[in-house]
Amino acid sequence: MSNFRKRLVTSAAAVTAVIGVSFSASALEIKSSDVHPMGYPTTDAIQYMGELLNTWTSGRINVKIFHSMQLGGEKEALEQTQLGALEMTRVSVGVVGPIVEEFNAFNLPYFFRSVDHMHKVVDGEIGTSLLNKLEAGGLIGLGYMDAGSRSFYNKSHPIAKIEDLKGLKIRVMQNPIFIEMVNAMGGNGLPIAFNELYTSMQTGVVDGAENNPPSYESGKHYEVAGHYTLTEHLMVPEIFVFSKKVWDTLPAMDQQLIRKASVMTVERERELWAAREQKSLDLLRSKGIKVITDVDKTAFIAATASVREKFGAKFADLIKKASEVK
Ligand code: BDP
């Protein structure tokens, strides 16, 4: 081939490459669901993810957030994402057990020793392998977000010691572990979706619930259940997941961009979370909520040993490995 012809072929290939990319990469709107309102660390982090993707693709990829339980509870959102009706959703690991059972290890009471321990487990080999297992359930695991520790609140009286939980109807996330956890501590655990919780407390279906300070504050649950005690019995992380059905139709380039944005989204959420926890506690106090902080956790830990044994038996290896993470 003459040099002239060679140059022609090369430049034609270059043009095809450019045109090919710009023509084949179609616009993508990622609909993403969250039970929290905008202004919450998880929703704001997903909004940031949308900004990143929009900038990197000059507006071709966008994220549209359905916040504040517009699409119902987390079980429904997960189902919609599995079906491909929703591209993405952010949920608590608390409801992921039915899809990948091993996630329930993270749902055991007093499982993680500290936030640092939780980060090392979820960001390491164990957390990554669990995210990968979601694929068989029709989901692409994109990352773990922080959600602090969960503690009890109720409308009846302050919980200063474990005996104070006796007889209280406490709403929990829809997972048998949490029901038995509350029962083991002397209360009555009732599974109810997050979107029905406020009304359930208001009408007396339950006396209270348990959650981290930002959820308790942002959901205005303190208006109907004003006694909050930092028992910190669960440290359940959050995950955000993509629909595998949709994922498989995306060009590799878009998958890479979403993965890259996800890493930055996790970082952003964790920064927002760290600031928000204290802000929520301050706000609660300013509303006159007395937060009991000096809790002797010994009795709570002892009472839930049976729950860790019963539900943890299936993942004994995983639990051992996680406990060895320093
Ligand atoms: C919040 C989580 C949210 C859960 C909610 C709950 O961020 O994902 O839906 O708890 O208790 O802390 O259901």
Side-chain angles (χ1 to χ4, degrees):
M1 208 190 288
S2 72
N3 274 346
F4 173 68
R5 212 175 135 60
K6 250 191 223 156
R7 270 206 309 276
L8 249 188
V9 171
T10 323
S11 54
V15 169
T16 316
V18 171
I19 294 176
V21 167
S22 57
F23 272 72
S24 68
S26 43
L28 171 66
E29 183 183 70
I30 302 174
K31 295 186 288 303
S32 185
S33 150
D34 199 305
V35 296
H36 294 299
M38 295 311 296
Y40 197 87
T42 55
T43 44
D44 280 2
I46 295 293
Q47 186 176 31
Y48 170 68
M49 180 178 185
E51 285 160 14
L52 290 174
L53 290 168
N54 176 289
T55 307
W56 293 343
T57 62
S58 309
R60 188 174 58 79
I61 304 183
N62 287 289
V63 172
K64 180 166 184 197
I65 306 179
F66 291 85
H67 55 88
S68 312
M69 304 182 270
Q70 288 171 61
L71 303 180
E74 300 198 323
K75 266 174 83 178
E76 293 81 21
L78 275 176
E79 282 160 19
Q80 294 297 307
T81 313
Q82 286 172 307
L83 290 171
L86 256 181
E87 281 76 21
M88 198 164 77
T89 190
R90 193 287 314 156
V91 295
S92 166
V93 160
V95 294
V96 186
I99 302 175
V100 174
E101 225 190 340
E102 286 99 319
F103 270 110
N104 275 335
F106 301 165
N107 291 328
L108 296 173
Y110 297 108
F111 178 66
F112 292 114
R113 293 188 299 270
S114 61
V115 176
D116 184 53
H117 179 221
M118 185 268 289
H119 282 166
K120 285 185 176 140
V121 172
V122 302
D123 295 340
E125 203 188 309
I126 299 175
T128 310
S129 85
L130 292 195
L131 282 186
N132 291 340
K133 284 192 180 176
L134 283 167
E135 205 164 330
L139 299 168
I140 303 291
L142 293 178
Y144 291 92
M145 294 179 176
D146 279 3
S149 294
R150 299 174 71 101
S151 295
F152 290 111
Y153 49 93
N154 79 94
K155 59 200 287 182
S156 149
H157 55 257
I159 294 169
K161 49 188 189 318
I162 193 162
E163 288 76 20
D164 298 329
L165 262 172
K166 205 167 168 47
L168 286 183
K169 285 178 280 170
I170 301 289
R171 175 271 173 177
V172 290
M173 284 186 279
Q174 291 148 300
N175 184 326
I177 297 182
F178 305 135
I179 304 173
E180 292 207 23
M181 172 193 76
V182 172
N183 295 352
M185 294 193 233
N188 292 327
L190 284 171
I192 293 175
F194 194 57
N195 48 328
E196 289 160 20
L197 174 54
Y198 187 97
T199 324
S200 302
M201 287 191 293
Q202 210 175 23
T203 57
V205 173
V206 287
D207 301 302
E210 44 88 56
N211 220 316
N212 49 49
S215 286
Y216 175 54
E217 171 261 303
S218 140
K220 299 213 178 338
H221 296 171
Y222 59 87
E223 291 176 352
V224 282
H227 304 283
Y228 192 45
T229 303
L230 298 186
T231 46
E232 301 182 318
H233 50 269
L234 287 171
M235 193 185 288
V236 180
E238 327 258 40
I239 52 173
F240 57 121
V241 293
F242 207 92
S243 169
K244 179 168 158 52
K245 218 166 165 186
V246 181
W247 185 263
D248 288 345
T249 67
L250 299 180
M253 183 182 69
D254 287 0
Q255 294 178 348
Q256 278 162 21
L257 289 176
I258 295 169
R259 287 270 187 210
K260 189 175 155 196
S262 298
V263 175
M264 295 167 74
T265 302
V266 166
E267 282 168 13
R268 171 60 67 96
E269 195 274 346
R270 288 182 183 174
E271 282 165 24
L272 292 170
W273 184 265
R276 179 59 180 262
E277 266 187 323
Q278 192 51 50
K279 231 176 105 187
S280 290
L281 285 170
D282 292 345
L283 200 136
L284 288 165
R285 289 189 176 110
S286 78
K287 300 261 178 205
I289 303 297
K290 200 165 165 262
V291 181
I292 302 183
T293 53
D294 57 337
V295 187
D296 178 7
K297 293 182 187 156
T298 327
F300 293 90
I301 297 172
T304 49
S306 59
V307 180
R308 282 185 295 280
E309 273 157 33
K310 176 176 169 185
F311 290 97
K314 283 188 191 157
F315 335 107
D317 286 351
L318 191 154
I319 289 170
K320 185 166 175 286
K321 252 173 89 183
S323 67
E324 284 164 4
V325 172
K326 291 281 172 286

